[in-house]
Amino acid sequence: MRLVDISGGRYGDLLVIERVPRQPGDKHTKWLCRCDCGNTSISTYINLKTGNTTSCGCKRRPHGDTMTPTWKCWHSMMRRCVWKSDAHRYQNVVRVCERWKDYRLFFADVGERPSPDHSLDRIDNAKGYEPGNVRWATAKEQCGNKTNNRWIEVRGERKILTDWARYCGVTPAAIRSYIARHGSLDSYPKLILALENQNCG
């Protein structure tokens, strides 16, 4: 019977890498697989095909960093953007750099998740998940990083419109109305007063 090459195939959380050299006594061909958790394992084709083996075993018994809050965030990022079983669900697939496809290297760059309120946030939404473009941020901080936010710079200081409104003690509508009439916030009285008070402090 001709051997079927299943390299590159996906079975559950396992991605088949290559065939393992046959050893004396082996009744079935074995394949080296990489699990979504980052570990590797060896399985036979029959176990992969029938669904008897769908992971390295991490779902049954967590190992190392598996299932920690930081690992879960990494795992979620990989499922959304890399592993094709889930990535096709997203209209705008964001690229993950090759380095961060290894959890250990990802952890070395971003560190431990600070708290349950923090999640991964791309600083520049036009770029992917890569060193220098990712931070741990709260939901409030991430709201300020949405692509549809309006950024306004006044005297070298850059904030989104809602933050300038909070800074001046007015509503966002008041800021929008002033900009619509005057074109910028450079001469907005309440902003000038707030800046002066800050400098005096």
Side-chain angles (χ1 to χ4, degrees), residues 95-130:
R95 188 183 69 85
V96 176
C97 68
E98 284 299 318
R99 175 179 172 81
W100 283 5
K101 292 177 183 178
D102 183 323
Y103 172 72
R104 292 166 299 180
L105 298 178
F106 165 83
F107 182 83
D109 289 342
V110 304
E112 194 75 65
R113 184 184 182 187
S115 79
D117 294 329
H118 287 76
S119 59
L120 290 176
D121 179 46
R122 284 176 295 128
I123 298 169
D124 183 346
N125 286 309
K127 298 179 181 179
Y129 288 98
E130 59 191 55

PDB file of all heavy atoms in Angstrom, residues 95-130:
ATOM      1  N   ARG A  95      -1.288  39.684  11.271  1.00  0.00           N
ATOM      2  CA  ARG A  95      -0.095  38.847  11.207  1.00  0.00           C
ATOM      3  C   ARG A  95       0.574  38.732  12.580  1.00  0.00           C
ATOM      4  O   ARG A  95       0.647  39.691  13.327  1.00  0.00           O
ATOM      5  CB  ARG A  95       0.902  39.444  10.209  1.00  0.00           C
ATOM      6  CG  ARG A  95       2.099  38.549   9.908  1.00  0.00           C
ATOM      7  CD  ARG A  95       3.064  39.245   8.978  1.00  0.00           C
ATOM      8  NE  ARG A  95       3.725  40.352   9.653  1.00  0.00           N
ATOM      9  CZ  ARG A  95       4.816  40.210  10.405  1.00  0.00           C
ATOM     10  NH1 ARG A  95       5.363  39.012  10.566  1.00  0.00           N
ATOM     11  NH2 ARG A  95       5.379  41.248  10.988  1.00  0.00           N
ATOM     12  N   VAL A  96       1.054  37.546  12.872  1.00  0.00           N
ATOM     13  CA  VAL A  96       1.858  37.302  14.071  1.00  0.00           C
ATOM     14  C   VAL A  96       3.280  37.014  13.601  1.00  0.00           C
ATOM     15  O   VAL A  96       3.488  36.169  12.722  1.00  0.00           O
ATOM     16  CB  VAL A  96       1.328  36.104  14.881  1.00  0.00           C
ATOM     17  CG1 VAL A  96       2.244  35.800  16.064  1.00  0.00           C
ATOM     18  CG2 VAL A  96      -0.091  36.378  15.368  1.00  0.00           C
ATOM     19  N   CYS A  97       4.264  37.701  14.154  1.00  0.00           N
ATOM     20  CA  CYS A  97       5.646  37.503  13.723  1.00  0.00           C
ATOM     21  C   CYS A  97       6.087  36.069  14.020  1.00  0.00           C
ATOM     22  O   CYS A  97       5.566  35.416  14.928  1.00  0.00           O
ATOM     23  CB  CYS A  97       6.577  38.501  14.407  1.00  0.00           C
ATOM     24  SG  CYS A  97       6.784  38.248  16.187  1.00  0.00           S
ATOM     25  N   GLU A  98       7.043  35.582  13.244  1.00  0.00           N
ATOM     26  CA  GLU A  98       7.520  34.200  13.376  1.00  0.00           C
ATOM     27  C   GLU A  98       8.033  33.925  14.787  1.00  0.00           C
ATOM     28  O   GLU A  98       7.807  32.853  15.343  1.00  0.00           O
ATOM     29  CB  GLU A  98       8.629  33.929  12.360  1.00  0.00           C
ATOM     30  CG  GLU A  98       8.127  33.739  10.942  1.00  0.00           C
ATOM     31  CD  GLU A  98       7.186  32.564  10.807  1.00  0.00           C
ATOM     32  OE1 GLU A  98       7.464  31.505  11.413  1.00  0.00           O
ATOM     33  OE2 GLU A  98       6.163  32.697  10.101  1.00  0.00           O
ATOM     34  N   ARG A  99       8.711  34.898  15.385  1.00  0.00           N
ATOM     35  CA  ARG A  99       9.289  34.714  16.720  1.00  0.00           C
ATOM     36  C   ARG A  99       8.219  34.355  17.740  1.00  0.00           C
ATOM     37  O   ARG A  99       8.434  33.490  18.601  1.00  0.00           O
ATOM     38  CB  ARG A  99      10.020  35.988  17.136  1.00  0.00           C
ATOM     39  CG  ARG A  99      10.566  35.977  18.551  1.00  0.00           C
ATOM     40  CD  ARG A  99      11.306  37.262  18.888  1.00  0.00           C
ATOM     41  NE  ARG A  99      11.671  37.338  20.285  1.00  0.00           N
ATOM     42  CZ  ARG A  99      12.741  36.740  20.816  1.00  0.00           C
ATOM     43  NH1 ARG A  99      13.537  36.012  20.053  1.00  0.00           N
ATOM     44  NH2 ARG A  99      13.026  36.854  22.100  1.00  0.00           N
ATOM     45  N   TRP A 100       7.063  34.991  17.637  1.00  0.00           N
ATOM     46  CA  TRP A 100       6.033  34.796  18.657  1.00  0.00           C
ATOM     47  C   TRP A 100       5.165  33.567  18.439  1.00  0.00           C
ATOM     48  O   TRP A 100       4.248  33.298  19.198  1.00  0.00           O
ATOM     49  CB  TRP A 100       5.161  36.050  18.748  1.00  0.00           C
ATOM     50  CG  TRP A 100       5.849  37.138  19.504  1.00  0.00           C
ATOM     51  CD1 TRP A 100       7.128  37.134  19.989  1.00  0.00           C
ATOM     52  CD2 TRP A 100       5.311  38.405  19.862  1.00  0.00           C
ATOM     53  NE1 TRP A 100       7.421  38.311  20.619  1.00  0.00           N
ATOM     54  CE2 TRP A 100       6.321  39.115  20.557  1.00  0.00           C
ATOM     55  CE3 TRP A 100       4.079  39.021  19.646  1.00  0.00           C
ATOM     56  CZ2 TRP A 100       6.128  40.398  21.050  1.00  0.00           C
ATOM     57  CZ3 TRP A 100       3.871  40.310  20.136  1.00  0.00           C
ATOM     58  CH2 TRP A 100       4.895  40.986  20.831  1.00  0.00           C
ATOM     59  N   LYS A 101       5.464  32.804  17.411  1.00  0.00           N
ATOM     60  CA  LYS A 101       4.762  31.532  17.246  1.00  0.00           C
ATOM     61  C   LYS A 101       5.305  30.495  18.220  1.00  0.00           C
ATOM     62  O   LYS A 101       4.738  29.422  18.378  1.00  0.00           O
ATOM     63  CB  LYS A 101       4.876  31.057  15.795  1.00  0.00           C
ATOM     64  CG  LYS A 101       4.091  31.954  14.841  1.00  0.00           C
ATOM     65  CD  LYS A 101       4.231  31.551  13.398  1.00  0.00           C
ATOM     66  CE  LYS A 101       3.480  32.535  12.504  1.00  0.00           C
ATOM     67  NZ  LYS A 101       3.624  32.208  11.063  1.00  0.00           N
ATOM     68  N   ASP A 102       6.407  30.846  18.869  1.00  0.00           N
ATOM     69  CA  ASP A 102       6.967  30.051  19.965  1.00  0.00           C
ATOM     70  C   ASP A 102       6.575  30.750  21.262  1.00  0.00           C
ATOM     71  O   ASP A 102       7.006  31.877  21.514  1.00  0.00           O
ATOM     72  CB  ASP A 102       8.490  29.975  19.829  1.00  0.00           C
ATOM     73  CG  ASP A 102       9.136  29.093  20.898  1.00  0.00           C
ATOM     74  OD1 ASP A 102       8.665  29.112  22.060  1.00  0.00           O
ATOM     75  OD2 ASP A 102      10.108  28.408  20.580  1.00  0.00           O
ATOM     76  N   TYR A 103       5.775  30.105  22.088  1.00  0.00           N
ATOM     77  CA  TYR A 103       5.273  30.739  23.303  1.00  0.00           C
ATOM     78  C   TYR A 103       6.390  31.236  24.212  1.00  0.00           C
ATOM     79  O   TYR A 103       6.286  32.313  24.807  1.00  0.00           O
ATOM     80  CB  TYR A 103       4.373  29.782  24.088  1.00  0.00           C
ATOM     81  CG  TYR A 103       3.996  30.328  25.452  1.00  0.00           C
ATOM     82  CD1 TYR A 103       3.099  31.389  25.563  1.00  0.00           C
ATOM     83  CD2 TYR A 103       4.584  29.830  26.612  1.00  0.00           C
ATOM     84  CE1 TYR A 103       2.777  31.923  26.808  1.00  0.00           C
ATOM     85  CE2 TYR A 103       4.266  30.360  27.850  1.00  0.00           C
ATOM     86  CZ  TYR A 103       3.368  31.402  27.945  1.00  0.00           C
ATOM     87  OH  TYR A 103       3.066  31.933  29.164  1.00  0.00           O
ATOM     88  N   ARG A 104       7.458  30.488  24.310  1.00  0.00           N
ATOM     89  CA  ARG A 104       8.544  30.873  25.211  1.00  0.00           C
ATOM     90  C   ARG A 104       9.165  32.206  24.801  1.00  0.00           C
ATOM     91  O   ARG A 104       9.497  33.038  25.647  1.00  0.00           O
ATOM     92  CB  ARG A 104       9.601  29.772  25.244  1.00  0.00           C
ATOM     93  CG  ARG A 104       9.138  28.476  25.907  1.00  0.00           C
ATOM     94  CD  ARG A 104      10.084  27.347  25.611  1.00  0.00           C
ATOM     95  NE  ARG A 104      10.159  27.075  24.177  1.00  0.00           N
ATOM     96  CZ  ARG A 104      10.921  26.138  23.641  1.00  0.00           C
ATOM     97  NH1 ARG A 104      11.688  25.402  24.414  1.00  0.00           N
ATOM     98  NH2 ARG A 104      10.937  25.938  22.337  1.00  0.00           N
ATOM     99  N   LEU A 105       9.319  32.426  23.494  1.00  0.00           N
ATOM    100  CA  LEU A 105       9.882  33.685  23.001  1.00  0.00           C
ATOM    101  C   LEU A 105       8.886  34.826  23.169  1.00  0.00           C
ATOM    102  O   LEU A 105       9.258  35.956  23.478  1.00  0.00           O
ATOM    103  CB  LEU A 105      10.297  33.537  21.536  1.00  0.00           C
ATOM    104  CG  LEU A 105      11.391  32.495  21.273  1.00  0.00           C
ATOM    105  CD1 LEU A 105      11.695  32.403  19.790  1.00  0.00           C
ATOM    106  CD2 LEU A 105      12.651  32.834  22.063  1.00  0.00           C
ATOM    107  N   PHE A 106       7.609  34.512  22.957  1.00  0.00           N
ATOM    108  CA  PHE A 106       6.550  35.510  23.183  1.00  0.00           C
ATOM    109  C   PHE A 106       6.586  35.975  24.639  1.00  0.00           C
ATOM    110  O   PHE A 106       6.575  37.169  24.926  1.00  0.00           O
ATOM    111  CB  PHE A 106       5.197  34.890  22.857  1.00  0.00           C
ATOM    112  CG  PHE A 106       4.015  35.661  23.371  1.00  0.00           C
ATOM    113  CD1 PHE A 106       3.504  36.742  22.667  1.00  0.00           C
ATOM    114  CD2 PHE A 106       3.405  35.304  24.568  1.00  0.00           C
ATOM    115  CE1 PHE A 106       2.414  37.460  23.138  1.00  0.00           C
ATOM    116  CE2 PHE A 106       2.312  36.014  25.056  1.00  0.00           C
ATOM    117  CZ  PHE A 106       1.822  37.095  24.338  1.00  0.00           C
ATOM    118  N   PHE A 107       6.665  35.029  25.558  1.00  0.00           N
ATOM    119  CA  PHE A 107       6.676  35.350  26.986  1.00  0.00           C
ATOM    120  C   PHE A 107       7.913  36.161  27.350  1.00  0.00           C
ATOM    121  O   PHE A 107       7.845  37.091  28.167  1.00  0.00           O
ATOM    122  CB  PHE A 107       6.630  34.065  27.810  1.00  0.00           C
ATOM    123  CG  PHE A 107       6.584  34.299  29.292  1.00  0.00           C
ATOM    124  CD1 PHE A 107       5.385  34.562  29.932  1.00  0.00           C
ATOM    125  CD2 PHE A 107       7.746  34.270  30.054  1.00  0.00           C
ATOM    126  CE1 PHE A 107       5.334  34.790  31.303  1.00  0.00           C
ATOM    127  CE2 PHE A 107       7.713  34.495  31.416  1.00  0.00           C
ATOM    128  CZ  PHE A 107       6.503  34.756  32.038  1.00  0.00           C
ATOM    129  N   ALA A 108       9.038  35.836  26.732  1.00  0.00           N
ATOM    130  CA  ALA A 108      10.279  36.566  27.022  1.00  0.00           C
ATOM    131  C   ALA A 108      10.163  38.024  26.610  1.00  0.00           C
ATOM    132  O   ALA A 108      10.762  38.905  27.238  1.00  0.00           O
ATOM    133  CB  ALA A 108      11.451  35.909  26.289  1.00  0.00           C
ATOM    134  N   ASP A 109       9.371  38.298  25.575  1.00  0.00           N
ATOM    135  CA  ASP A 109       9.241  39.670  25.071  1.00  0.00           C
ATOM    136  C   ASP A 109       8.171  40.482  25.799  1.00  0.00           C
ATOM    137  O   ASP A 109       8.350  41.671  26.049  1.00  0.00           O
ATOM    138  CB  ASP A 109       8.916  39.652  23.573  1.00  0.00           C
ATOM    139  CG  ASP A 109      10.092  39.204  22.723  1.00  0.00           C
ATOM    140  OD1 ASP A 109      11.230  39.244  23.232  1.00  0.00           O
ATOM    141  OD2 ASP A 109       9.879  38.803  21.572  1.00  0.00           O
ATOM    142  N   VAL A 110       7.039  39.863  26.122  1.00  0.00           N
ATOM    143  CA  VAL A 110       5.921  40.638  26.684  1.00  0.00           C
ATOM    144  C   VAL A 110       5.756  40.466  28.191  1.00  0.00           C
ATOM    145  O   VAL A 110       5.117  41.287  28.850  1.00  0.00           O
ATOM    146  CB  VAL A 110       4.585  40.299  25.985  1.00  0.00           C
ATOM    147  CG1 VAL A 110       4.689  40.521  24.494  1.00  0.00           C
ATOM    148  CG2 VAL A 110       4.155  38.872  26.273  1.00  0.00           C
ATOM    149  N   GLY A 111       6.317  39.391  28.751  1.00  0.00           N
ATOM    150  CA  GLY A 111       6.219  39.185  30.194  1.00  0.00           C
ATOM    151  C   GLY A 111       4.862  38.654  30.638  1.00  0.00           C
ATOM    152  O   GLY A 111       3.980  38.347  29.829  1.00  0.00           O
ATOM    153  N   GLU A 112       4.706  38.569  31.951  1.00  0.00           N
ATOM    154  CA  GLU A 112       3.493  38.025  32.562  1.00  0.00           C
ATOM    155  C   GLU A 112       2.325  38.992  32.417  1.00  0.00           C
ATOM    156  O   GLU A 112       2.500  40.206  32.456  1.00  0.00           O
ATOM    157  CB  GLU A 112       3.742  37.762  34.045  1.00  0.00           C
ATOM    158  CG  GLU A 112       2.692  36.897  34.713  1.00  0.00           C
ATOM    159  CD  GLU A 112       2.826  35.439  34.322  1.00  0.00           C
ATOM    160  OE1 GLU A 112       3.833  34.808  34.665  1.00  0.00           O
ATOM    161  OE2 GLU A 112       1.884  34.942  33.661  1.00  0.00           O
ATOM    162  N   ARG A 113       1.147  38.464  32.238  1.00  0.00           N
ATOM    163  CA  ARG A 113      -0.065  39.287  32.215  1.00  0.00           C
ATOM    164  C   ARG A 113      -0.238  39.945  33.579  1.00  0.00           C
ATOM    165  O   ARG A 113      -0.310  39.262  34.605  1.00  0.00           O
ATOM    166  CB  ARG A 113      -1.272  38.400  31.902  1.00  0.00           C
ATOM    167  CG  ARG A 113      -2.589  39.138  31.761  1.00  0.00           C
ATOM    168  CD  ARG A 113      -3.718  38.139  31.557  1.00  0.00           C
ATOM    169  NE  ARG A 113      -5.001  38.786  31.364  1.00  0.00           N
ATOM    170  CZ  ARG A 113      -6.157  38.132  31.301  1.00  0.00           C
ATOM    171  NH1 ARG A 113      -6.169  36.807  31.423  1.00  0.00           N
ATOM    172  NH2 ARG A 113      -7.282  38.782  31.123  1.00  0.00           N
ATOM    173  N   PRO A 114      -0.300  41.294  33.623  1.00  0.00           N
ATOM    174  CA  PRO A 114      -0.309  41.998  34.915  1.00  0.00           C
ATOM    175  C   PRO A 114      -1.501  41.690  35.805  1.00  0.00           C
ATOM    176  O   PRO A 114      -1.362  41.636  37.026  1.00  0.00           O
ATOM    177  CB  PRO A 114      -0.308  43.479  34.506  1.00  0.00           C
ATOM    178  CG  PRO A 114       0.248  43.496  33.127  1.00  0.00           C
ATOM    179  CD  PRO A 114      -0.236  42.230  32.498  1.00  0.00           C
ATOM    180  N   SER A 115      -2.684  41.525  35.206  1.00  0.00           N
ATOM    181  CA  SER A 115      -3.893  41.298  36.005  1.00  0.00           C
ATOM    182  C   SER A 115      -4.987  40.733  35.109  1.00  0.00           C
ATOM    183  O   SER A 115      -4.872  40.774  33.877  1.00  0.00           O
ATOM    184  CB  SER A 115      -4.373  42.614  36.637  1.00  0.00           C
ATOM    185  OG  SER A 115      -5.075  43.394  35.674  1.00  0.00           O
ATOM    186  N   PRO A 116      -6.072  40.236  35.696  1.00  0.00           N
ATOM    187  CA  PRO A 116      -7.189  39.729  34.892  1.00  0.00           C
ATOM    188  C   PRO A 116      -7.840  40.815  34.027  1.00  0.00           C
ATOM    189  O   PRO A 116      -8.558  40.507  33.073  1.00  0.00           O
ATOM    190  CB  PRO A 116      -8.169  39.206  35.949  1.00  0.00           C
ATOM    191  CG  PRO A 116      -7.327  38.895  37.127  1.00  0.00           C
ATOM    192  CD  PRO A 116      -6.266  39.957  37.138  1.00  0.00           C
ATOM    193  N   ASP A 117      -7.586  42.085  34.353  1.00  0.00           N
ATOM    194  CA  ASP A 117      -8.176  43.194  33.581  1.00  0.00           C
ATOM    195  C   ASP A 117      -7.368  43.524  32.334  1.00  0.00           C
ATOM    196  O   ASP A 117      -7.796  44.340  31.516  1.00  0.00           O
ATOM    197  CB  ASP A 117      -8.264  44.451  34.453  1.00  0.00           C
ATOM    198  CG  ASP A 117      -9.230  44.285  35.609  1.00  0.00           C
ATOM    199  OD1 ASP A 117     -10.215  43.542  35.446  1.00  0.00           O
ATOM    200  OD2 ASP A 117      -8.990  44.873  36.680  1.00  0.00           O
ATOM    201  N   HIS A 118      -6.181  42.931  32.197  1.00  0.00           N
ATOM    202  CA  HIS A 118      -5.318  43.234  31.064  1.00  0.00           C
ATOM    203  C   HIS A 118      -5.411  42.173  29.969  1.00  0.00           C
ATOM    204  O   HIS A 118      -5.615  40.996  30.254  1.00  0.00           O
ATOM    205  CB  HIS A 118      -3.847  43.326  31.511  1.00  0.00           C
ATOM    206  CG  HIS A 118      -3.529  44.558  32.289  1.00  0.00           C
ATOM    207  ND1 HIS A 118      -3.891  44.714  33.618  1.00  0.00           N
ATOM    208  CD2 HIS A 118      -2.880  45.707  31.933  1.00  0.00           C
ATOM    209  CE1 HIS A 118      -3.481  45.903  34.043  1.00  0.00           C
ATOM    210  NE2 HIS A 118      -2.859  46.515  33.042  1.00  0.00           N
ATOM    211  N   SER A 119      -5.265  42.626  28.739  1.00  0.00           N
ATOM    212  CA  SER A 119      -5.193  41.722  27.598  1.00  0.00           C
ATOM    213  C   SER A 119      -4.230  42.309  26.579  1.00  0.00           C
ATOM    214  O   SER A 119      -3.772  43.446  26.720  1.00  0.00           O
ATOM    215  CB  SER A 119      -6.581  41.511  26.969  1.00  0.00           C
ATOM    216  OG  SER A 119      -7.123  42.747  26.536  1.00  0.00           O
ATOM    217  N   LEU A 120      -3.909  41.542  25.538  1.00  0.00           N
ATOM    218  CA  LEU A 120      -2.964  42.009  24.533  1.00  0.00           C
ATOM    219  C   LEU A 120      -3.569  43.124  23.691  1.00  0.00           C
ATOM    220  O   LEU A 120      -4.715  43.036  23.261  1.00  0.00           O
ATOM    221  CB  LEU A 120      -2.552  40.848  23.616  1.00  0.00           C
ATOM    222  CG  LEU A 120      -1.674  39.768  24.240  1.00  0.00           C
ATOM    223  CD1 LEU A 120      -1.448  38.657  23.232  1.00  0.00           C
ATOM    224  CD2 LEU A 120      -0.355  40.352  24.706  1.00  0.00           C
ATOM    225  N   ASP A 121      -2.778  44.156  23.444  1.00  0.00           N
ATOM    226  CA  ASP A 121      -3.241  45.291  22.644  1.00  0.00           C
ATOM    227  C   ASP A 121      -2.138  45.721  21.698  1.00  0.00           C
ATOM    228  O   ASP A 121      -0.993  45.901  22.112  1.00  0.00           O
ATOM    229  CB  ASP A 121      -3.618  46.457  23.566  1.00  0.00           C
ATOM    230  CG  ASP A 121      -4.093  47.680  22.788  1.00  0.00           C
ATOM    231  OD1 ASP A 121      -4.907  47.506  21.859  1.00  0.00           O
ATOM    232  OD2 ASP A 121      -3.654  48.795  23.110  1.00  0.00           O
ATOM    233  N   ARG A 122      -2.473  45.859  20.407  1.00  0.00           N
ATOM    234  CA  ARG A 122      -1.499  46.362  19.444  1.00  0.00           C
ATOM    235  C   ARG A 122      -1.467  47.887  19.515  1.00  0.00           C
ATOM    236  O   ARG A 122      -2.502  48.535  19.409  1.00  0.00           O
ATOM    237  CB  ARG A 122      -1.857  45.900  18.034  1.00  0.00           C
ATOM    238  CG  ARG A 122      -1.515  44.433  17.790  1.00  0.00           C
ATOM    239  CD  ARG A 122      -1.966  43.978  16.415  1.00  0.00           C
ATOM    240  NE  ARG A 122      -3.410  44.007  16.299  1.00  0.00           N
ATOM    241  CZ  ARG A 122      -4.085  44.605  15.319  1.00  0.00           C
ATOM    242  NH1 ARG A 122      -3.444  45.250  14.375  1.00  0.00           N
ATOM    243  NH2 ARG A 122      -5.403  44.565  15.286  1.00  0.00           N
ATOM    244  N   ILE A 123      -0.301  48.458  19.668  1.00  0.00           N
ATOM    245  CA  ILE A 123      -0.151  49.908  19.780  1.00  0.00           C
ATOM    246  C   ILE A 123      -0.506  50.586  18.468  1.00  0.00           C
ATOM    247  O   ILE A 123      -1.242  51.579  18.434  1.00  0.00           O
ATOM    248  CB  ILE A 123       1.290  50.253  20.203  1.00  0.00           C
ATOM    249  CG1 ILE A 123       1.576  49.650  21.594  1.00  0.00           C
ATOM    250  CG2 ILE A 123       1.507  51.770  20.218  1.00  0.00           C
ATOM    251  CD1 ILE A 123       3.029  49.697  21.997  1.00  0.00           C
ATOM    252  N   ASP A 124       0.018  50.053  17.361  1.00  0.00           N
ATOM    253  CA  ASP A 124      -0.317  50.549  16.027  1.00  0.00           C
ATOM    254  C   ASP A 124      -1.152  49.489  15.341  1.00  0.00           C
ATOM    255  O   ASP A 124      -0.653  48.415  14.983  1.00  0.00           O
ATOM    256  CB  ASP A 124       0.967  50.820  15.220  1.00  0.00           C
ATOM    257  CG  ASP A 124       0.679  51.413  13.843  1.00  0.00           C
ATOM    258  OD1 ASP A 124      -0.484  51.379  13.410  1.00  0.00           O
ATOM    259  OD2 ASP A 124       1.630  51.900  13.201  1.00  0.00           O
ATOM    260  N   ASN A 125      -2.447  49.781  15.164  1.00  0.00           N
ATOM    261  CA  ASN A 125      -3.353  48.781  14.610  1.00  0.00           C
ATOM    262  C   ASN A 125      -3.084  48.452  13.156  1.00  0.00           C
ATOM    263  O   ASN A 125      -3.654  47.502  12.612  1.00  0.00           O
ATOM    264  CB  ASN A 125      -4.807  49.242  14.779  1.00  0.00           C
ATOM    265  CG  ASN A 125      -5.271  49.130  16.220  1.00  0.00           C
ATOM    266  OD1 ASN A 125      -5.127  48.090  16.842  1.00  0.00           O
ATOM    267  ND2 ASN A 125      -5.799  50.218  16.757  1.00  0.00           N
ATOM    268  N   ALA A 126      -2.227  49.225  12.507  1.00  0.00           N
ATOM    269  CA  ALA A 126      -1.871  48.933  11.114  1.00  0.00           C
ATOM    270  C   ALA A 126      -0.795  47.854  11.040  1.00  0.00           C
ATOM    271  O   ALA A 126      -0.509  47.323   9.971  1.00  0.00           O
ATOM    272  CB  ALA A 126      -1.381  50.206  10.413  1.00  0.00           C
ATOM    273  N   LYS A 127      -0.193  47.544  12.193  1.00  0.00           N
ATOM    274  CA  LYS A 127       0.856  46.528  12.252  1.00  0.00           C
ATOM    275  C   LYS A 127       0.337  45.289  12.967  1.00  0.00           C
ATOM    276  O   LYS A 127      -0.727  45.304  13.568  1.00  0.00           O
ATOM    277  CB  LYS A 127       2.086  47.077  12.971  1.00  0.00           C
ATOM    278  CG  LYS A 127       2.731  48.268  12.283  1.00  0.00           C
ATOM    279  CD  LYS A 127       3.936  48.754  13.074  1.00  0.00           C
ATOM    280  CE  LYS A 127       4.591  49.957  12.422  1.00  0.00           C
ATOM    281  NZ  LYS A 127       5.761  50.446  13.210  1.00  0.00           N
ATOM    282  N   GLY A 128       1.122  44.226  12.913  1.00  0.00           N
ATOM    283  CA  GLY A 128       0.702  42.977  13.525  1.00  0.00           C
ATOM    284  C   GLY A 128       1.198  42.801  14.939  1.00  0.00           C
ATOM    285  O   GLY A 128       1.659  43.746  15.590  1.00  0.00           O
ATOM    286  N   TYR A 129       1.113  41.558  15.422  1.00  0.00           N
ATOM    287  CA  TYR A 129       1.629  41.219  16.744  1.00  0.00           C
ATOM    288  C   TYR A 129       3.124  40.974  16.597  1.00  0.00           C
ATOM    289  O   TYR A 129       3.550  39.971  16.024  1.00  0.00           O
ATOM    290  CB  TYR A 129       0.930  39.967  17.281  1.00  0.00           C
ATOM    291  CG  TYR A 129      -0.497  40.208  17.680  1.00  0.00           C
ATOM    292  CD1 TYR A 129      -1.548  39.892  16.818  1.00  0.00           C
ATOM    293  CD2 TYR A 129      -0.804  40.764  18.924  1.00  0.00           C
ATOM    294  CE1 TYR A 129      -2.870  40.120  17.188  1.00  0.00           C
ATOM    295  CE2 TYR A 129      -2.118  40.992  19.304  1.00  0.00           C
ATOM    296  CZ  TYR A 129      -3.146  40.667  18.429  1.00  0.00           C
ATOM    297  OH  TYR A 129      -4.452  40.888  18.786  1.00  0.00           O
ATOM    298  N   GLU A 130       3.921  41.884  17.107  1.00  0.00           N
ATOM    299  CA  GLU A 130       5.365  41.821  16.966  1.00  0.00           C
ATOM    300  C   GLU A 130       6.030  42.622  18.080  1.00  0.00           C
ATOM    301  O   GLU A 130       5.380  43.486  18.692  1.00  0.00           O
ATOM    302  CB  GLU A 130       5.782  42.383  15.602  1.00  0.00           C
ATOM    303  CG  GLU A 130       5.332  43.824  15.406  1.00  0.00           C
ATOM    304  CD  GLU A 130       5.493  44.296  13.968  1.00  0.00           C
ATOM    305  OE1 GLU A 130       4.956  43.637  13.061  1.00  0.00           O
ATOM    306  OE2 GLU A 130       6.158  45.340  13.770  1.00  0.00           O
TER     307      GLU A 130
END
